[in-house]
Amino acid sequence: MIRFLIKGVLRDRSRSLFSVIAITIGVFLAVVYRGFVAGIFDDMLRQGAIMMTGHVKVTTRAYAEEAALLPMDLALLGVDETMEQLSADYPGMFFTPRIVFGGLIDVPDEEGVTREQGPVAAMAIDLLSSGSRQVELWDLENRLVDGRLPQSADEALLGDVYARRLMVVPGDIVTLIGSTMHGAFTTHNFTIVGTVAIGVGSLGKNLLLTDISGARQALDMADGATEILGFYTDMFYDDDAAVARAADYNAARNGTGDEFAPYMVPLRDQYNMGAMLDYMDVAVVIFIGVFFIVITIVLWNLGIMNSLRRYGELGVRLAIGESKAHVFGSMVIESTVVGIGGWLVGTAIGLAVVYYLQEVGIDYGAMMEDFNMPISHVMRGKITPDSFYLGLFPGVVAPVVGTMLAGRAIFKREMSQLFKELEA
Amino acid sequence: MSADSAIQIESLVKHFPMGGSVVEALKGVNLALGAGEFAGLVGPSGSGKTTLLNIIGGLDSPTQGSVRVLGEDLANKTHKQLADLRKEHIGFIFQTFNLLPVYTVFENVEFPLLLLNRTNGERQKAVDEALERVGLSHKTKARPATLSGGESQRVAIARAIVKQPSIILADEPTANLDAENSHNIMRILVELNEDNSTSFLFSTHDEKVMAYLRRTIHLVDGNITSDEVTTPSAP
Ligand SMILES: Nc1ncnc2c1ncn2[C@@H]1O[C@H](COP(=O)(O)OP(=O)(O)OP(=O)(O)O)[C@@H](O)[C@H]1O
Ligand SMILES: [Mg+2]
């Protein structure tokens, strides 16, 4: 009997092949769409994470409390050791130190007299050490407007617009005027080797971007950093994990009472990002919900149509003596099996595409050369854990429920009706 | 009730709700059919023939009255029990053949035996015999779509007889067939009736079928107006 039913499914293309294809396509679209939306939302976080917050940020406890003031005197020391510890404790992440500081730059004329002066929001990141991914993550090569990237500690980049205002061109030497982490007055010369267009909010405006080694010299903070940014190796922010990680990390150092102990803050808890993340969670649900509802309705109808078409056959089977429950059960099992088949295939293909988007991405930069926005020009996806089972709803539940609804007729109506509908 | 009674119907009324009103399809039918009879319900369209056959087969339920099939009162039966009764004792033949399109001729005929959990060997033998009887031994692998109307109906007959049921209910089995095929089919059915003493109840308004009947029951507007023994006039 089971073999008989299987034969029926396999031979009836619109029940087997077409249904599997339809469900496969539906589930495929759902999975890809889900991964795509996750990728887009992650991309919205990505720039800020790279330039401002990291996925987690480690500072001293005291610095964290007054982070908005950029309190240099509360900077981390012993950074190498802390970094080593962090890398050992969190193998799925990488960490990079930096110094965020303010100051003035002085642009001298040929005689060495001040020609222009202005404030800078300086950022010293790890541009030069061999394993660092900062140049790649900041996309500096593409953002370079003029000149080249720094190759030594005394070289720096200046924001493009600001450089033009101060009439600084690559090759000019500027003097940074600021204070060391101990509060002492300091000056330090940097050669501006290039200008960059960062264009992310206020960050780009008065930017002086240099390697951390130069800043350490300038500010007298050997082995120091104001913050250490941590990123997931795949660059996708996992909010729950980051929050839990930070909580663990801080709990382990809670008892010391040391103001200068390292303290971890997840992306969520910086710059009001929590509200943004919560908003994004809701938006994801809405985006995906609408799409899923559409696909669910389509596949639900597929289940109904496939069954309605078969009323005649069902009537005959009942007339020959098959019980209602058996006929109904076989329809439901059949559509479940077909649905699971489509779900598996659709999910597999969909995940493959999302995986490609996640690992490689599709670069549409060439199409948008003149479009200078602080979003990346790589279309990305992200495999989320729910991608593995989300397709079950439109792919299996919907057609099975559709089949059940249509199959209800077997119980509800008098059986002779089933023939009438066949003849009509 | 005699031991060899196939069908016993008393005061059978069937109403169908139709929008707000009610269609009275059967208005108090009394009928007894013995084992081995070859009888036909004859009447104009809409007189209630199909309704009566469906109720006998347990596909429809009576509004009032009692129906006994092979001594069993259908009123107290569950759907499952009615299905079992059909499965074991009743064969249906329809006007529109109603073959399962995705299955071969052999598989269509085999289906009732699968429901009865017959073994592979039993099924093979019974299906071969049934197809032989209807003269389609050479078409076992064909799909219904490739068959002519006459062939299709012969497959449907093979499917109805393969389990050797006590009763065969045939609803206008020749309505979609030409004269030659109609006669072929009727001859096959007469032969089955004589060989196996299977009871037959037809519904028809086809003169060719009537010519084979040994009992003719006239149904008009939901009432039996006459019920008489007839002498088959067909060759
Ligand atoms: N499911 C139903 N719902 C409503 N009315 C029905 C239903 N089935 C049958 N009827 C009505 O009951 C009456 C008898 O129908 P039935 O099909 O039994 O006639 P019949 O004698 O078989 O006719 P035909 O020769 O055209 O097949 C008709 O008036 C028909 O419209
Ligand atoms: Mg009829």
Side-chain angles (χ1 to χ4, degrees):
Chain A
M1 190 71 207
I2 290 170
R3 277 212 351 245
F4 187 83
L5 292 173
I6 292 174
K7 258 189 245 172
V9 182
L10 292 182
R11 288 189 199 156
D12 186 349
R13 289 269 164 90
S14 65
R15 258 195 281 162
S16 52
L17 188 61
F18 299 152
S19 291
V20 170
I21 289 176
I23 292 172
T24 296
I25 292 174
V27 171
F28 167 80
L29 290 176
V31 169
V32 170
Y33 183 76
R34 204 271 170 267
F36 178 65
V37 168
I40 287 184
F41 279 92
D42 197 84
D43 218 68
M44 289 165 56
L45 291 178
R46 185 167 294 200
Q47 294 308 314
I50 289 169
M51 294 176 186
M52 322 264 286
T53 63
H55 290 154
V56 297
K57 179 185 282 184
V58 176
T59 62
T60 63
R61 184 188 306 277
Y63 188 97
E65 275 159 23
E66 295 174 42
L69 305 174
L70 305 178
M72 289 284 295
D73 52 325
L74 304 178
L76 281 164
L77 290 174
V79 167
D80 287 351
E81 193 192 320
T82 307
M83 293 253 303
E84 255 169 51
Q85 188 68 46
L86 285 165
S87 301
D89 288 350
Y90 305 114
M93 301 184 82
F94 66 93
F95 294 86
T96 183
R98 57 191 210 161
I99 300 171
V100 183
F101 60 102
L104 286 174
I105 52 170
D106 185 283
V107 186
D109 61 15
E110 295 89 67
E111 273 107 64
V113 180
T114 298
R115 173 166 61 78
E116 296 279 353
Q117 217 175 44
V120 283
M123 204 167 286
I125 64 177
D126 186 0
L127 294 175
L128 299 179
S129 64
S130 63
S132 173
R133 289 177 60 185
Q134 295 304 301
V135 172
E136 164 216 330
L137 292 176
W138 280 68
D139 197 20
L140 286 179
E141 261 146 28
N142 288 316
R143 293 190 149 122
L144 197 62
V145 177
D146 200 4
R148 60 169 173 81
L149 298 182
Q151 284 160 6
S152 69
D154 290 339
E155 296 179 347
L157 300 170
L158 199 58
D160 166 51
V161 177
Y162 200 40
R164 269 184 274 147
R165 232 186 67 206
L166 299 178
M167 291 181 291
V168 172
V169 294
D172 288 357
I173 292 175
V174 302
T175 306
L176 173 79
I177 305 167
S179 58
T180 68
M181 74 172 289
H182 312 294
F185 177 82
T186 180
T187 61
H188 192 85
N189 286 348
F190 284 103
T191 307
I192 301 299
V193 294
T195 61
V196 282
I198 297 295
V200 180
S202 59
L203 184 70
K205 264 200 204 142
N206 299 344
L207 180 71
L208 178 83
L209 189 65
T210 180
D211 183 63
I212 189 163
S213 56
R216 280 173 169 168
Q217 285 168 29
L219 305 174
D220 188 18
M221 51 194 298
D223 202 17
T226 55
E227 43 196 52
I228 297 171
L229 302 191
F231 297 94
Y232 289 96
T233 321
D234 60 9
M235 285 310 290
F236 287 107
Y237 178 61
D238 181 343
D239 189 42
D240 293 340
V243 169
R245 213 154 255 207
D248 284 354
Y249 187 86
N250 299 333
R253 285 156 186 80
N254 218 353
T256 66
D258 177 1
E259 281 281 273
F260 292 92
Y263 183 82
M264 189 182 283
V265 185
L267 184 152
R268 165 176 284 279
D269 294 337
Q270 304 177 44
Y271 302 101
N272 281 329
M273 290 301 285
M276 161 101 163
L277 286 171
D278 293 339
Y279 160 78
M280 277 167 52
D281 281 349
V282 174
V284 164
V285 169
I286 293 172
F287 271 46
I288 292 174
V290 169
F291 193 77
F292 266 58
I293 287 170
V294 170
I295 291 188
T296 298
I297 289 173
V298 169
L299 295 179
W300 181 56
N301 276 296
L302 177 90
I304 292 184
M305 293 311 297
N306 259 339
S307 307
L308 289 182
R309 218 171 40 82
R310 294 173 64 199
Y311 273 4
E313 175 203 329
L314 304 179
V316 179
R317 283 164 60 177
L318 293 170
I320 291 175
E322 198 172 342
S323 72
K324 292 181 172 192
H326 195 273
V327 171
F328 184 76
S330 77
M331 284 169 69
V332 170
I333 290 174
E334 199 178 278
S335 75
T336 305
V337 170
V338 166
I340 288 178
W343 165 65
L344 284 175
V345 178
T347 301
I349 303 177
L351 285 177
V353 170
V354 177
Y355 184 77
Y356 179 83
L357 287 178
Q358 175 176 310
E359 298 300 313
V360 184
I362 296 174
D363 192 338
Y364 53 87
M367 292 183 284
M368 315 190 69
E369 256 170 3
D370 305 324
F371 190 69
N372 212 343
M373 284 258 294
I375 55 165
S376 90
H377 41 77
V378 178
M379 187 194 288
R380 275 184 209 289
K382 177 181 179 183
I383 293 182
T384 53
D386 54 15
S387 302
F388 290 89
Y389 58 82
L390 268 179
L392 273 177
F393 196 78
V396 181
V397 176
V400 169
V401 169
T403 301
M404 285 176 162
L405 281 180
R408 244 180 3 167
I410 299 174
F411 296 98
K412 283 210 135 179
R413 282 177 236 195
E414 303 222 53
M415 279 177 269
S416 54
Q417 271 297 95
L418 294 171
F419 298 108
K420 288 255 155 49
E421 275 166 58
L422 175 77
E423 284 158 23
Chain B
M1 183 206 324
S2 72
D4 59 358
S5 156
I7 298 165
Q8 249 186 351
I9 295 170
E10 275 157 35
S11 318
L12 174 61
V13 174
K14 177 64 182 177
H15 292 172
F16 288 108
M18 264 300 256
S21 65
V22 159
V23 180
E24 295 182 54
L26 298 172
K27 298 175 179 167
V29 169
N30 293 297
L31 176 67
L33 198 77
E37 285 209 59
F38 200 79
L41 300 165
V42 176
S45 181
S47 56
K49 304 181 296 290
T50 298
T51 304
L52 185 50
L53 290 183
N54 284 342
I55 290 177
I56 293 169
L59 293 175
D60 264 353
S61 50
T63 307
Q64 276 169 43
S66 89
V67 179
R68 290 173 164 273
V69 174
L70 301 169
E72 311 245 17
D73 190 343
L74 301 192
N76 311 318
K77 298 230 175 286
T78 63
H79 283 303
K80 172 85 174 97
Q81 289 169 323
L82 290 172
D84 287 343
L85 184 72
R86 282 197 295 279
K87 181 166 78 176
E88 280 158 36
H89 303 296
I90 301 176
F92 271 98
I93 301 171
F94 308 93
Q95 173 180 340
T96 53
F97 325 139
N98 280 332
L99 300 178
L100 305 179
V102 298
Y103 295 106
T104 64
V105 165
F106 186 94
E107 288 160 351
N108 264 280
V109 178
E110 186 188 21
F111 181 64
L113 302 178
L114 287 167
L115 289 179
L116 288 167
N117 287 323
R118 297 284 168 79
T119 66
N120 217 336
E122 285 170 341
R123 295 202 304 269
Q124 183 74 41
K125 184 159 171 282
V127 174
D128 284 345
E129 275 172 21
L131 285 175
E132 169 116 40
R133 245 186 199 283
V134 298
L136 284 174
S137 298
H138 58 294
K139 291 267 185 184
T140 54
K141 294 212 163 60
R143 290 289 177 85
T146 67
L147 301 177
S148 72
E151 287 169 335
S152 296
Q153 193 59 302
R154 274 145 65 196
V155 176
I157 290 170
R159 182 176 65 189
I161 65 172
V162 70
K163 62 191 175 193
Q164 306 199 315
S166 312
I167 301 171
I168 286 181
L169 304 172
D171 193 359
E172 313 206 21
T174 59
N176 287 349
L177 300 178
D178 59 23
E180 192 190 331
N181 273 308
S182 298
H183 283 294
N184 273 340
I185 297 254
M186 288 313 290
R187 271 187 226 110
I188 292 169
L189 295 179
V190 167
E191 212 177 280
L192 274 166
N193 173 252
E194 284 166 358
D195 292 357
N196 302 349
S197 68
T198 308
S199 312
F200 278 82
L201 185 58
F202 291 87
S203 106
T204 190
H205 36 220
D206 181 352
E207 307 271 334
K208 297 186 289 297
V209 173
M210 293 179 215
Y212 290 85
L213 297 179
R214 281 191 267 108
R215 178 177 170 188
T216 305
I217 302 154
H218 281 274
L219 198 59
V220 177
D221 209 7
N223 289 303
I224 293 180
T225 53
S226 72
D227 182 350
E228 56 205 7
V229 174
T230 42
T231 316
S233 56

